[in-house]
Amino acid sequence: MCTVVIDVEDVGRARLLAVRDEDPLREWDALGAWWPEQYPGVSGIRDRRAGGAWLAVNSAERRLAVLLNRADVLGLPPDHVRSRGSLALESVVGRSPVAPLPMHGFNLLEVGPDGARVLSWDGDVLRDTSIPAGVHMIAHDDLDDPATPRIAAWLPEFRALEEAGEDRDWVDRWTTLLASSAHLSPEDDRAIIRDNRPHGYPTQSLLYCVASVGPAGIDVRDQALPRPGHWSA
């Protein structure tokens, strides 16, 4: 139940804030070039168990991808379901997913020289949603979905932040707002920094990344939270 805020400035130029929710017992590695043979030039946040990536970056091709889970109607037996961890890695080398897919549901956010989009798989249909200019949010449902409580609560705040045109660096502005969102309990369904256990999932917010994509390349930074589901120690 991850969350991404993205500001698309124009074709091939965007900036984003991505918060990762995962089971704290599932080990992961910070941003690095973990796949030098299979994906040379690609960096990402690696899941140690399956070997894939939650977020991946190909600076040379100015491509970035983030993987978010979503509900599905898939009826495959567990031993026939393939890990979604390859999706972001394949995406940033120019190989986007094609249906049908033996995978559980996902939203795959892609940013590249041709623009930004979300590929959504529900186990039956793979949908392609272009992201227009402006500030948007996505989590486990559709882009800017008002039925997602955290989007309903915080998308207007992020949009107002950009409209105000403050002098501070955008990373400072966005992370300050993210920090202020943490006044909500992590169990609150409006929270961005989350503890999803009361909602039936073992996942909690573990880290966030900020990234900018443009003609000069990609700048991406990651920051682990001091403890799962909490902004401060």
mmCIF file with all atom_site columns, all heavy atoms in Angstrom, residues 68 70 106-110 116-120 127-131 138 141-143:
data_model
loop_
_atom_site.group_PDB
_atom_site.id
_atom_site.type_symbol
_atom_site.label_atom_id
_atom_site.label_alt_id
_atom_site.label_comp_id
_atom_site.label_asym_id
_atom_site.label_entity_id
_atom_site.label_seq_id
_atom_site.pdbx_PDB_ins_code
_atom_site.Cartn_x
_atom_site.Cartn_y
_atom_site.Cartn_z
_atom_site.occupancy
_atom_site.B_iso_or_equiv
_atom_site.pdbx_formal_charge
_atom_site.auth_seq_id
_atom_site.auth_comp_id
_atom_site.auth_asym_id
_atom_site.auth_atom_id
_atom_site.pdbx_PDB_model_num
ATOM 1   N N   . LEU A 1 68  ? 3.677  -0.362 -7.195  1.00 0.00 ? 68  LEU A N   1
ATOM 2   C CA  . LEU A 1 68  ? 2.710  -0.313 -6.108  1.00 0.00 ? 68  LEU A CA  1
ATOM 3   C C   . LEU A 1 68  ? 1.734  -1.470 -6.274  1.00 0.00 ? 68  LEU A C   1
ATOM 4   O O   . LEU A 1 68  ? 1.284  -1.759 -7.391  1.00 0.00 ? 68  LEU A O   1
ATOM 5   C CB  . LEU A 1 68  ? 1.933  1.005  -6.109  1.00 0.00 ? 68  LEU A CB  1
ATOM 6   C CG  . LEU A 1 68  ? 2.733  2.310  -6.088  1.00 0.00 ? 68  LEU A CG  1
ATOM 7   C CD1 . LEU A 1 68  ? 2.977  2.823  -7.504  1.00 0.00 ? 68  LEU A CD1 1
ATOM 8   C CD2 . LEU A 1 68  ? 1.996  3.377  -5.294  1.00 0.00 ? 68  LEU A CD2 1
ATOM 9   N N   . ARG A 1 70  ? -1.874 -3.497 -5.945  1.00 0.00 ? 70  ARG A N   1
ATOM 10  C CA  . ARG A 1 70  ? -3.294 -3.192 -5.961  1.00 0.00 ? 70  ARG A CA  1
ATOM 11  C C   . ARG A 1 70  ? -4.077 -4.504 -5.969  1.00 0.00 ? 70  ARG A C   1
ATOM 12  O O   . ARG A 1 70  ? -3.515 -5.570 -6.258  1.00 0.00 ? 70  ARG A O   1
ATOM 13  C CB  . ARG A 1 70  ? -3.688 -2.307 -7.137  1.00 0.00 ? 70  ARG A CB  1
ATOM 14  C CG  . ARG A 1 70  ? -3.633 -2.932 -8.513  1.00 0.00 ? 70  ARG A CG  1
ATOM 15  C CD  . ARG A 1 70  ? -4.155 -1.948 -9.567  1.00 0.00 ? 70  ARG A CD  1
ATOM 16  N NE  . ARG A 1 70  ? -5.590 -1.694 -9.420  1.00 0.00 ? 70  ARG A NE  1
ATOM 17  C CZ  . ARG A 1 70  ? -6.181 -0.562 -9.800  1.00 0.00 ? 70  ARG A CZ  1
ATOM 18  N NH1 . ARG A 1 70  ? -5.472 0.415  -10.346 1.00 0.00 ? 70  ARG A NH1 1
ATOM 19  N NH2 . ARG A 1 70  ? -7.490 -0.405 -9.653  1.00 0.00 ? 70  ARG A NH2 1
ATOM 20  N N   . PHE A 1 106 ? -1.143 -4.766 -9.695  1.00 0.00 ? 106 PHE A N   1
ATOM 21  C CA  . PHE A 1 106 ? -0.137 -3.735 -9.456  1.00 0.00 ? 106 PHE A CA  1
ATOM 22  C C   . PHE A 1 106 ? -0.512 -2.450 -10.178 1.00 0.00 ? 106 PHE A C   1
ATOM 23  O O   . PHE A 1 106 ? -1.301 -2.427 -11.125 1.00 0.00 ? 106 PHE A O   1
ATOM 24  C CB  . PHE A 1 106 ? 1.255  -4.190 -9.908  1.00 0.00 ? 106 PHE A CB  1
ATOM 25  C CG  . PHE A 1 106 ? 1.376  -4.492 -11.386 1.00 0.00 ? 106 PHE A CG  1
ATOM 26  C CD1 . PHE A 1 106 ? 1.520  -3.482 -12.330 1.00 0.00 ? 106 PHE A CD1 1
ATOM 27  C CD2 . PHE A 1 106 ? 1.348  -5.810 -11.840 1.00 0.00 ? 106 PHE A CD2 1
ATOM 28  C CE1 . PHE A 1 106 ? 1.638  -3.769 -13.691 1.00 0.00 ? 106 PHE A CE1 1
ATOM 29  C CE2 . PHE A 1 106 ? 1.466  -6.107 -13.196 1.00 0.00 ? 106 PHE A CE2 1
ATOM 30  C CZ  . PHE A 1 106 ? 1.613  -5.089 -14.122 1.00 0.00 ? 106 PHE A CZ  1
ATOM 31  N N   . ASN A 1 107 ? 0.082  -1.362 -9.706  1.00 0.00 ? 107 ASN A N   1
ATOM 32  C CA  . ASN A 1 107 ? 0.207  -0.104 -10.439 1.00 0.00 ? 107 ASN A CA  1
ATOM 33  C C   . ASN A 1 107 ? 1.692  0.095  -10.691 1.00 0.00 ? 107 ASN A C   1
ATOM 34  O O   . ASN A 1 107 ? 2.478  0.112  -9.738  1.00 0.00 ? 107 ASN A O   1
ATOM 35  C CB  . ASN A 1 107 ? -0.329 1.079  -9.635  1.00 0.00 ? 107 ASN A CB  1
ATOM 36  C CG  . ASN A 1 107 ? -1.842 1.108  -9.545  1.00 0.00 ? 107 ASN A CG  1
ATOM 37  O OD1 . ASN A 1 107 ? -2.527 0.797  -10.520 1.00 0.00 ? 107 ASN A OD1 1
ATOM 38  N ND2 . ASN A 1 107 ? -2.371 1.501  -8.399  1.00 0.00 ? 107 ASN A ND2 1
ATOM 39  N N   . LEU A 1 108 ? 2.077  0.229  -11.930 1.00 0.00 ? 108 LEU A N   1
ATOM 40  C CA  . LEU A 1 108 ? 3.472  0.487  -12.273 1.00 0.00 ? 108 LEU A CA  1
ATOM 41  C C   . LEU A 1 108 ? 3.570  1.909  -12.797 1.00 0.00 ? 108 LEU A C   1
ATOM 42  O O   . LEU A 1 108 ? 3.067  2.226  -13.881 1.00 0.00 ? 108 LEU A O   1
ATOM 43  C CB  . LEU A 1 108 ? 3.976  -0.502 -13.323 1.00 0.00 ? 108 LEU A CB  1
ATOM 44  C CG  . LEU A 1 108 ? 5.443  -0.334 -13.733 1.00 0.00 ? 108 LEU A CG  1
ATOM 45  C CD1 . LEU A 1 108 ? 6.383  -0.642 -12.566 1.00 0.00 ? 108 LEU A CD1 1
ATOM 46  C CD2 . LEU A 1 108 ? 5.779  -1.231 -14.931 1.00 0.00 ? 108 LEU A CD2 1
ATOM 47  N N   . LEU A 1 109 ? 4.194  2.784  -12.021 1.00 0.00 ? 109 LEU A N   1
ATOM 48  C CA  . LEU A 1 109 ? 4.392  4.169  -12.425 1.00 0.00 ? 109 LEU A CA  1
ATOM 49  C C   . LEU A 1 109 ? 5.664  4.251  -13.253 1.00 0.00 ? 109 LEU A C   1
ATOM 50  O O   . LEU A 1 109 ? 6.734  3.835  -12.792 1.00 0.00 ? 109 LEU A O   1
ATOM 51  C CB  . LEU A 1 109 ? 4.505  5.057  -11.189 1.00 0.00 ? 109 LEU A CB  1
ATOM 52  C CG  . LEU A 1 109 ? 4.823  6.535  -11.447 1.00 0.00 ? 109 LEU A CG  1
ATOM 53  C CD1 . LEU A 1 109 ? 3.602  7.250  -11.995 1.00 0.00 ? 109 LEU A CD1 1
ATOM 54  C CD2 . LEU A 1 109 ? 5.313  7.211  -10.184 1.00 0.00 ? 109 LEU A CD2 1
ATOM 55  N N   . GLU A 1 110 ? 5.550  4.772  -14.451 1.00 0.00 ? 110 GLU A N   1
ATOM 56  C CA  . GLU A 1 110 ? 6.691  4.922  -15.352 1.00 0.00 ? 110 GLU A CA  1
ATOM 57  C C   . GLU A 1 110 ? 6.903  6.393  -15.711 1.00 0.00 ? 110 GLU A C   1
ATOM 58  O O   . GLU A 1 110 ? 5.947  7.084  -16.075 1.00 0.00 ? 110 GLU A O   1
ATOM 59  C CB  . GLU A 1 110 ? 6.467  4.134  -16.648 1.00 0.00 ? 110 GLU A CB  1
ATOM 60  C CG  . GLU A 1 110 ? 6.336  2.637  -16.478 1.00 0.00 ? 110 GLU A CG  1
ATOM 61  C CD  . GLU A 1 110 ? 6.259  1.913  -17.814 1.00 0.00 ? 110 GLU A CD  1
ATOM 62  O OE1 . GLU A 1 110 ? 5.649  2.481  -18.765 1.00 0.00 ? 110 GLU A OE1 1
ATOM 63  O OE2 . GLU A 1 110 ? 6.773  0.797  -17.915 1.00 0.00 ? 110 GLU A OE2 1
ATOM 64  N N   . ALA A 1 116 ? 4.927  10.510 -18.587 1.00 0.00 ? 116 ALA A N   1
ATOM 65  C CA  . ALA A 1 116 ? 4.673  9.702  -17.397 1.00 0.00 ? 116 ALA A CA  1
ATOM 66  C C   . ALA A 1 116 ? 3.326  9.006  -17.534 1.00 0.00 ? 116 ALA A C   1
ATOM 67  O O   . ALA A 1 116 ? 2.375  9.565  -18.095 1.00 0.00 ? 116 ALA A O   1
ATOM 68  C CB  . ALA A 1 116 ? 4.683  10.582 -16.141 1.00 0.00 ? 116 ALA A CB  1
ATOM 69  N N   . ARG A 1 117 ? 3.258  7.779  -17.004 1.00 0.00 ? 117 ARG A N   1
ATOM 70  C CA  . ARG A 1 117 ? 2.011  7.027  -17.077 1.00 0.00 ? 117 ARG A CA  1
ATOM 71  C C   . ARG A 1 117 ? 1.963  6.001  -15.953 1.00 0.00 ? 117 ARG A C   1
ATOM 72  O O   . ARG A 1 117 ? 2.971  5.728  -15.287 1.00 0.00 ? 117 ARG A O   1
ATOM 73  C CB  . ARG A 1 117 ? 1.881  6.321  -18.419 1.00 0.00 ? 117 ARG A CB  1
ATOM 74  C CG  . ARG A 1 117 ? 2.919  5.217  -18.663 1.00 0.00 ? 117 ARG A CG  1
ATOM 75  C CD  . ARG A 1 117 ? 2.653  4.504  -19.974 1.00 0.00 ? 117 ARG A CD  1
ATOM 76  N NE  . ARG A 1 117 ? 3.621  3.430  -20.232 1.00 0.00 ? 117 ARG A NE  1
ATOM 77  C CZ  . ARG A 1 117 ? 3.481  2.531  -21.216 1.00 0.00 ? 117 ARG A CZ  1
ATOM 78  N NH1 . ARG A 1 117 ? 2.454  2.584  -22.041 1.00 0.00 ? 117 ARG A NH1 1
ATOM 79  N NH2 . ARG A 1 117 ? 4.388  1.588  -21.377 1.00 0.00 ? 117 ARG A NH2 1
ATOM 80  N N   . VAL A 1 118 ? 0.758  5.424  -15.771 1.00 0.00 ? 118 VAL A N   1
ATOM 81  C CA  . VAL A 1 118 ? 0.570  4.323  -14.835 1.00 0.00 ? 118 VAL A CA  1
ATOM 82  C C   . VAL A 1 118 ? -0.014 3.143  -15.602 1.00 0.00 ? 118 VAL A C   1
ATOM 83  O O   . VAL A 1 118 ? -1.022 3.276  -16.305 1.00 0.00 ? 118 VAL A O   1
ATOM 84  C CB  . VAL A 1 118 ? -0.394 4.711  -13.693 1.00 0.00 ? 118 VAL A CB  1
ATOM 85  C CG1 . VAL A 1 118 ? -0.598 3.517  -12.759 1.00 0.00 ? 118 VAL A CG1 1
ATOM 86  C CG2 . VAL A 1 118 ? 0.139  5.899  -12.914 1.00 0.00 ? 118 VAL A CG2 1
ATOM 87  N N   . LEU A 1 119 ? 0.637  1.995  -15.482 1.00 0.00 ? 119 LEU A N   1
ATOM 88  C CA  . LEU A 1 119 ? 0.104  0.748  -16.019 1.00 0.00 ? 119 LEU A CA  1
ATOM 89  C C   . LEU A 1 119 ? -0.519 -0.012 -14.858 1.00 0.00 ? 119 LEU A C   1
ATOM 90  O O   . LEU A 1 119 ? 0.153  -0.316 -13.872 1.00 0.00 ? 119 LEU A O   1
ATOM 91  C CB  . LEU A 1 119 ? 1.217  -0.082 -16.668 1.00 0.00 ? 119 LEU A CB  1
ATOM 92  C CG  . LEU A 1 119 ? 1.850  0.536  -17.917 1.00 0.00 ? 119 LEU A CG  1
ATOM 93  C CD1 . LEU A 1 119 ? 3.049  -0.286 -18.368 1.00 0.00 ? 119 LEU A CD1 1
ATOM 94  C CD2 . LEU A 1 119 ? 0.832  0.662  -19.038 1.00 0.00 ? 119 LEU A CD2 1
ATOM 95  N N   . SER A 1 120 ? -1.816 -0.302 -14.950 1.00 0.00 ? 120 SER A N   1
ATOM 96  C CA  . SER A 1 120 ? -2.575 -0.932 -13.865 1.00 0.00 ? 120 SER A CA  1
ATOM 97  C C   . SER A 1 120 ? -3.069 -2.298 -14.299 1.00 0.00 ? 120 SER A C   1
ATOM 98  O O   . SER A 1 120 ? -3.788 -2.427 -15.305 1.00 0.00 ? 120 SER A O   1
ATOM 99  C CB  . SER A 1 120 ? -3.765 -0.050 -13.470 1.00 0.00 ? 120 SER A CB  1
ATOM 100 O OG  . SER A 1 120 ? -3.341 1.226  -13.042 1.00 0.00 ? 120 SER A OG  1
ATOM 101 N N   . ARG A 1 127 ? -4.431 -1.664 -17.896 1.00 0.00 ? 127 ARG A N   1
ATOM 102 C CA  . ARG A 1 127 ? -4.833 -0.338 -18.344 1.00 0.00 ? 127 ARG A CA  1
ATOM 103 C C   . ARG A 1 127 ? -3.643 0.615  -18.362 1.00 0.00 ? 127 ARG A C   1
ATOM 104 O O   . ARG A 1 127 ? -2.754 0.520  -17.513 1.00 0.00 ? 127 ARG A O   1
ATOM 105 C CB  . ARG A 1 127 ? -5.930 0.243  -17.434 1.00 0.00 ? 127 ARG A CB  1
ATOM 106 C CG  . ARG A 1 127 ? -7.249 -0.489 -17.547 1.00 0.00 ? 127 ARG A CG  1
ATOM 107 C CD  . ARG A 1 127 ? -8.327 0.210  -16.726 1.00 0.00 ? 127 ARG A CD  1
ATOM 108 N NE  . ARG A 1 127 ? -8.094 0.102  -15.297 1.00 0.00 ? 127 ARG A NE  1
ATOM 109 C CZ  . ARG A 1 127 ? -7.848 1.113  -14.491 1.00 0.00 ? 127 ARG A CZ  1
ATOM 110 N NH1 . ARG A 1 127 ? -7.770 2.350  -14.970 1.00 0.00 ? 127 ARG A NH1 1
ATOM 111 N NH2 . ARG A 1 127 ? -7.660 0.926  -13.191 1.00 0.00 ? 127 ARG A NH2 1
ATOM 112 N N   . ASP A 1 128 ? -3.647 1.537  -19.300 1.00 0.00 ? 128 ASP A N   1
ATOM 113 C CA  . ASP A 1 128 ? -2.588 2.523  -19.480 1.00 0.00 ? 128 ASP A CA  1
ATOM 114 C C   . ASP A 1 128 ? -3.189 3.905  -19.245 1.00 0.00 ? 128 ASP A C   1
ATOM 115 O O   . ASP A 1 128 ? -4.064 4.344  -20.001 1.00 0.00 ? 128 ASP A O   1
ATOM 116 C CB  . ASP A 1 128 ? -2.029 2.402  -20.900 1.00 0.00 ? 128 ASP A CB  1
ATOM 117 C CG  . ASP A 1 128 ? -0.867 3.351  -21.174 1.00 0.00 ? 128 ASP A CG  1
ATOM 118 O OD1 . ASP A 1 128 ? -0.700 4.323  -20.426 1.00 0.00 ? 128 ASP A OD1 1
ATOM 119 O OD2 . ASP A 1 128 ? -0.143 3.113  -22.167 1.00 0.00 ? 128 ASP A OD2 1
ATOM 120 N N   . THR A 1 129 ? -2.736 4.585  -18.183 1.00 0.00 ? 129 THR A N   1
ATOM 121 C CA  . THR A 1 129 ? -3.250 5.908  -17.848 1.00 0.00 ? 129 THR A CA  1
ATOM 122 C C   . THR A 1 129 ? -2.129 6.937  -17.941 1.00 0.00 ? 129 THR A C   1
ATOM 123 O O   . THR A 1 129 ? -1.167 6.894  -17.166 1.00 0.00 ? 129 THR A O   1
ATOM 124 C CB  . THR A 1 129 ? -3.834 5.933  -16.418 1.00 0.00 ? 129 THR A CB  1
ATOM 125 O OG1 . THR A 1 129 ? -4.861 4.937  -16.310 1.00 0.00 ? 129 THR A OG1 1
ATOM 126 C CG2 . THR A 1 129 ? -4.402 7.301  -16.080 1.00 0.00 ? 129 THR A CG2 1
ATOM 127 N N   . SER A 1 130 ? -2.229 7.846  -18.899 1.00 0.00 ? 130 SER A N   1
ATOM 128 C CA  . SER A 1 130 ? -1.241 8.920  -19.003 1.00 0.00 ? 130 SER A CA  1
ATOM 129 C C   . SER A 1 130 ? -1.419 9.890  -17.843 1.00 0.00 ? 130 SER A C   1
ATOM 130 O O   . SER A 1 130 ? -2.546 10.150 -17.405 1.00 0.00 ? 130 SER A O   1
ATOM 131 C CB  . SER A 1 130 ? -1.415 9.671  -20.328 1.00 0.00 ? 130 SER A CB  1
ATOM 132 O OG  . SER A 1 130 ? -1.136 8.825  -21.423 1.00 0.00 ? 130 SER A OG  1
ATOM 133 N N   . ILE A 1 131 ? -0.307 10.419 -17.340 1.00 0.00 ? 131 ILE A N   1
ATOM 134 C CA  . ILE A 1 131 ? -0.354 11.375 -16.246 1.00 0.00 ? 131 ILE A CA  1
ATOM 135 C C   . ILE A 1 131 ? -0.173 12.767 -16.835 1.00 0.00 ? 131 ILE A C   1
ATOM 136 O O   . ILE A 1 131 ? 0.897  13.088 -17.365 1.00 0.00 ? 131 ILE A O   1
ATOM 137 C CB  . ILE A 1 131 ? 0.736  11.092 -15.202 1.00 0.00 ? 131 ILE A CB  1
ATOM 138 C CG1 . ILE A 1 131 ? 0.634  9.647  -14.694 1.00 0.00 ? 131 ILE A CG1 1
ATOM 139 C CG2 . ILE A 1 131 ? 0.615  12.074 -14.040 1.00 0.00 ? 131 ILE A CG2 1
ATOM 140 C CD1 . ILE A 1 131 ? 1.700  9.272  -13.681 1.00 0.00 ? 131 ILE A CD1 1
ATOM 141 N N   . ILE A 1 138 ? -0.960 8.571  -6.315  1.00 0.00 ? 138 ILE A N   1
ATOM 142 C CA  . ILE A 1 138 ? -1.462 7.218  -6.559  1.00 0.00 ? 138 ILE A CA  1
ATOM 143 C C   . ILE A 1 138 ? -1.041 6.324  -5.402  1.00 0.00 ? 138 ILE A C   1
ATOM 144 O O   . ILE A 1 138 ? 0.021  6.517  -4.795  1.00 0.00 ? 138 ILE A O   1
ATOM 145 C CB  . ILE A 1 138 ? -0.961 6.658  -7.907  1.00 0.00 ? 138 ILE A CB  1
ATOM 146 C CG1 . ILE A 1 138 ? -1.688 5.360  -8.233  1.00 0.00 ? 138 ILE A CG1 1
ATOM 147 C CG2 . ILE A 1 138 ? 0.557  6.491  -7.930  1.00 0.00 ? 138 ILE A CG2 1
ATOM 148 C CD1 . ILE A 1 138 ? -1.582 4.923  -9.664  1.00 0.00 ? 138 ILE A CD1 1
ATOM 149 N N   . ASP A 1 141 ? -5.177 2.166  -5.608  1.00 0.00 ? 141 ASP A N   1
ATOM 150 C CA  . ASP A 1 141 ? -6.282 2.226  -6.555  1.00 0.00 ? 141 ASP A CA  1
ATOM 151 C C   . ASP A 1 141 ? -5.855 3.067  -7.755  1.00 0.00 ? 141 ASP A C   1
ATOM 152 O O   . ASP A 1 141 ? -4.710 3.003  -8.146  1.00 0.00 ? 141 ASP A O   1
ATOM 153 C CB  . ASP A 1 141 ? -7.537 2.787  -5.864  1.00 0.00 ? 141 ASP A CB  1
ATOM 154 C CG  . ASP A 1 141 ? -8.126 1.797  -4.859  1.00 0.00 ? 141 ASP A CG  1
ATOM 155 O OD1 . ASP A 1 141 ? -8.278 0.615  -5.223  1.00 0.00 ? 141 ASP A OD1 1
ATOM 156 O OD2 . ASP A 1 141 ? -8.423 2.202  -3.724  1.00 0.00 ? 141 ASP A OD2 1
ATOM 157 N N   . ASP A 1 142 ? -6.765 3.860  -8.306  1.00 0.00 ? 142 ASP A N   1
ATOM 158 C CA  . ASP A 1 142 ? -6.454 4.608  -9.515  1.00 0.00 ? 142 ASP A CA  1
ATOM 159 C C   . ASP A 1 142 ? -5.757 5.931  -9.216  1.00 0.00 ? 142 ASP A C   1
ATOM 160 O O   . ASP A 1 142 ? -5.733 6.407  -8.082  1.00 0.00 ? 142 ASP A O   1
ATOM 161 C CB  . ASP A 1 142 ? -7.735 4.879  -10.304 1.00 0.00 ? 142 ASP A CB  1
ATOM 162 C CG  . ASP A 1 142 ? -8.332 3.610  -10.896 1.00 0.00 ? 142 ASP A CG  1
ATOM 163 O OD1 . ASP A 1 142 ? -7.589 2.611  -11.032 1.00 0.00 ? 142 ASP A OD1 1
ATOM 164 O OD2 . ASP A 1 142 ? -9.536 3.620  -11.228 1.00 0.00 ? 142 ASP A OD2 1
ATOM 165 N N   . LEU A 1 143 ? -5.204 6.524  -10.265 1.00 0.00 ? 143 LEU A N   1
ATOM 166 C CA  . LEU A 1 143 ? -4.559 7.828  -10.162 1.00 0.00 ? 143 LEU A CA  1
ATOM 167 C C   . LEU A 1 143 ? -5.548 8.861  -9.641  1.00 0.00 ? 143 LEU A C   1
ATOM 168 O O   . LEU A 1 143 ? -6.664 8.975  -10.154 1.00 0.00 ? 143 LEU A O   1
ATOM 169 C CB  . LEU A 1 143 ? -4.031 8.244  -11.537 1.00 0.00 ? 143 LEU A CB  1
ATOM 170 C CG  . LEU A 1 143 ? -3.226 9.544  -11.606 1.00 0.00 ? 143 LEU A CG  1
ATOM 171 C CD1 . LEU A 1 143 ? -1.859 9.364  -10.966 1.00 0.00 ? 143 LEU A CD1 1
ATOM 172 C CD2 . LEU A 1 143 ? -3.090 10.012 -13.059 1.00 0.00 ? 143 LEU A CD2 1
#
